Amino acid sequence: MNKIAFLAAALSISAAGLAHAEERRITVDAAGTVQSVPDMATITLGVTNEDAQASNAMQATSDAVAQVLSRLQELGIDARDVQTRDVSLSPVWNNRNNNSGERPEISGFVASNRVFVRVRDLSQLGSIMDAVIQDGANDFGGLSFGVQDPKPLEAQARANAVAEATAKAEQLAQAANVTLGPVQEISEQVGGVRPVAAMREYNMADAGSVPVAGGEVSVSVTVTMEFEISE
């Protein structure tokens, strides 16, 4: 056997051995979840007005939003916790879907301005919503709860996921009558902060003394772990 053929054979044996070693592994998935009381809420609110003149609709909306933003500042909401989501101006059509052959006409315009508001003091949430409604907010897109610093919860969820994955791998190894070796690879996927109950949509029927219940939020981390099977 010449030198080239010998090297090719050696590489073939080495690759076969590596493939065989990789096959002798146990791969498991596990999720860890931690629940906590929220310390922050995010509301989507805005103002919508309709008028025959586009400029009037937009001006009325802008004036109301300016009043809402001023009230939020008075209530102690930091500027960094308020962000415009969208500003829109759309025509209102008459006879658009009729079958009489008449041309559709614009009868007016609808102007809308929406903002995200982050509330870090949940004890003020109800009063904040009351105040902005009184100042002209007539469009609520939803309310969600969260935590300001999710990292400690993520760390605990990650530790729970790793412990669960390790226990699962040990159980599989015992059932297969093999010896579980060291960890060869770990990957994770963080699920983020999720409310335990579904997000609630608000409308103007909730005006007045707005009742809110924070409940709990959960943080989840999923890990994939690959263990070697010892000889």
Side-chain angles (χ1 to χ4, degrees):
M1 180 182 298
N2 58 38
K3 186 175 182 180
I4 295 178
F6 176 80
L7 289 174
L11 287 173
S12 177
I13 293 172
S14 176
L18 180 59
H20 179 68
E22 289 178 346
E23 290 174 359
R24 292 181 54 80
R25 293 187 178 183
I26 294 177
T27 303
V28 292
D29 296 323
T33 302
V34 176
Q35 295 184 352
S36 176
V37 176
D39 62 3
M40 177 184 71
T42 302
I43 54 179
T44 305
L45 59 88
V47 178
T48 299
N49 280 294
E50 181 177 345
D51 194 277
Q53 298 295 321
S55 58
N56 291 343
M58 182 60 75
Q59 187 63 52
T61 299
S62 298
D63 291 344
V65 170
Q67 181 64 33
V68 168
L69 295 179
S70 177
R71 177 61 65 91
L72 290 172
Q73 185 177 14
E74 292 175 4
L75 293 170
I77 302 298
D78 291 339
R80 66 190 176 102
D81 290 328
V82 180
Q83 184 179 52
T84 299
R85 178 180 180 180
D86 59 65
V87 178
S88 64
L89 178 66
S90 305
V92 178
W93 295 88
N94 275 343
N95 303 321
R96 192 170 189 178
N97 297 316
N98 69 79
N99 298 320
S100 63
E102 298 181 12
R103 295 181 60 184
E105 296 180 350
I106 296 176
S107 62
F109 296 87
V110 174
S112 179
N113 188 324
R114 276 184 155 193
V115 296
F116 282 127
V117 180
R118 184 181 294 112
V119 180
R120 299 180 185 273
D121 183 358
L122 293 183
S123 66
Q124 294 187 8
L125 182 57
S127 60
I128 287 173
M129 296 183 68
D130 283 345
V132 296
I133 289 171
Q134 294 173 11
D135 285 341
N138 57 7
D139 183 3
F140 280 83
L143 164 66
S144 63
F145 292 94
V147 291
Q148 299 183 47
D149 184 10
K151 290 183 179 179
L153 298 178
E154 290 174 0
Q156 183 59 54
R158 184 178 296 111
N160 293 347
V162 170
E164 177 66 22
T166 302
K168 187 183 295 186
E170 290 173 346
Q171 186 179 33
L172 289 172
Q174 184 178 7
N177 198 26
V178 296
T179 302
L180 190 67
V183 177
Q184 299 300 305
E185 187 175 339
I186 302 178
S187 61
E188 72 164 8
Q189 181 178 358
V190 179
V193 180
R194 298 179 182 275
V196 175
M199 181 185 294
R200 179 183 176 187
E201 294 293 327
Y202 278 84
N203 53 48
M204 293 313 296
D206 295 305
S209 181
V210 180
V212 290
E216 290 185 330
V217 294
S218 66
V219 175
S220 62
V221 175
T222 301
V223 298
T224 299
M225 298 181 66
E226 194 171 277
F227 295 83
E228 179 184 318
I229 296 177
S230 300
E231 295 293 341

